[in-house]
Amino acid sequence: MIDTIIFDFGDIFINLDKQAPVIKFKKLGLNEWNSELDELNIQFETGKISREEFLAGFQKQIPDASEKAILKAWNSVLLDFPLYRLEFLQLLSKKYRLFLLSNTDSIHIATFEKKVGASFYSDFYQCFEKVYFSFEMGMRKPNPEIYSQLIKIHELSPKRTLFVDDRADNTDAAKALGIHVWNLKVGTEDVIDLFDKNFI
């Protein structure tokens, strides 16, 4: 019997366009996305570097691009957050312990909050017992420690916990710890299909 659900954020609640930043950065003069930028992203998502250091890392590779243009390209990944998903979550929060666990950075979260407004994001965050962002935790999925930390802090039972994420590497890591998982297929499944999946 599931009594706890841990949700990812991107492409579970807020829609993403993961190709948009790649296209935008190319227009700003970036030849191709590379391992150095991957590492820069990981460092920023785990709070190891500041916003300024992150932006400087991009400017090093595209020196002709302004900070404003870099920020616009970086934030182009964020699309809409449909109201029906929030309403679904609010109903769910009356019956289950809910947690948010997202690999994200301070720029994206600030942009999301500004985009939807205080009333909306407050209603969203209030659905959860606790909201966890990788840049505040100092680690990111699929590091097994990130799941173990939630289990330990909140005294969760893995066999009574469901984890919902759109990335297989993240759900595989949680599954290895005995947590029930739903690797949601973006484009063909929606988080509101949860009850149709017989998880809960």
Side-chain angles (χ1 to χ4, degrees):
M1 176 79 178
I2 300 293
D3 59 18
T4 304
I5 310 171
I6 303 168
F7 288 104
D8 178 30
F9 183 28
D11 267 340
I12 301 298
F13 294 111
I14 189 170
N15 291 318
L16 302 180
D17 182 349
K18 290 171 182 171
Q19 281 308 302
V22 178
I23 294 163
K24 302 265 187 197
F25 280 123
K26 200 168 185 178
K27 285 180 181 173
L28 291 177
L30 183 70
N31 291 327
E32 61 176 355
W33 194 269
N34 53 57
S35 57
E36 203 174 308
L37 291 176
D38 274 334
E39 184 55 30
L40 191 71
N41 179 41
I42 289 168
Q43 292 288 307
F44 194 38
E45 274 194 352
T46 51
K48 305 283 193 299
I49 58 172
S50 66
R51 178 182 187 275
E52 290 68 35
E53 288 169 314
F54 175 72
L55 293 170
F58 266 102
Q59 284 187 309
K60 184 180 159 191
Q61 299 211 20
I62 35 177
D64 293 336
S66 68
E67 185 177 292
K68 188 178 178 182
I70 290 168
L71 280 168
K72 191 175 179 182
W74 184 245
N75 286 323
S76 65
V77 69
L78 303 173
L79 298 178
D80 61 315
F81 186 141
L83 180 60
Y84 72 84
R85 288 184 186 150
L86 174 60
E87 291 169 344
F88 170 74
L89 195 63
Q90 287 171 326
L91 288 173
L92 212 58
S93 68
K94 293 179 171 68
K95 299 178 182 177
Y96 299 91
R97 294 180 71 186
L98 303 182
F99 297 89
L100 191 70
L101 180 62
S102 175
N103 284 352
T104 190
D105 60 70
S106 56
I107 290 174
H108 280 161
I109 292 305
T111 303
F112 155 69
E113 291 179 354
K114 188 179 178 184
K115 199 172 182 177
V116 300
S119 176
F120 189 98
Y121 75 70
S122 296
D123 285 350
F124 175 57
Y125 293 154
Q126 280 169 16
C127 292
F128 303 100
E129 196 170 311
K130 178 83 175 166
V131 170
Y132 286 101
F133 295 135
S134 61
F135 73 93
E136 294 174 334
M137 296 180 80
M139 61 181 125
R140 67 202 286 275
K141 301 172 290 185
N143 181 346
E145 199 184 325
I146 206 166
Y147 309 101
S148 299
Q149 192 164 307
L150 260 75
I151 289 166
K152 188 179 177 184
I153 292 171
H154 301 285
E155 299 178 338
L156 307 179
S157 164
K159 64 182 180 182
R160 300 183 71 173
T161 301
L162 174 68
F163 173 56
V164 182
D165 198 293
D166 64 306
R167 288 184 58 103
D169 53 347
N170 293 340
T171 52
D172 286 349
K175 195 175 183 179
L177 295 172
I179 299 168
H180 296 273
V181 299
W182 175 20
N183 177 211
L184 186 148
K185 304 290 182 287
V186 180
T188 59
E189 297 176 320
D190 195 294
V191 70
I192 65 165
D193 301 332
L194 186 61
F195 291 107
D196 300 332
K197 297 291 172 180
N198 297 321
F199 292 119
I200 56 178

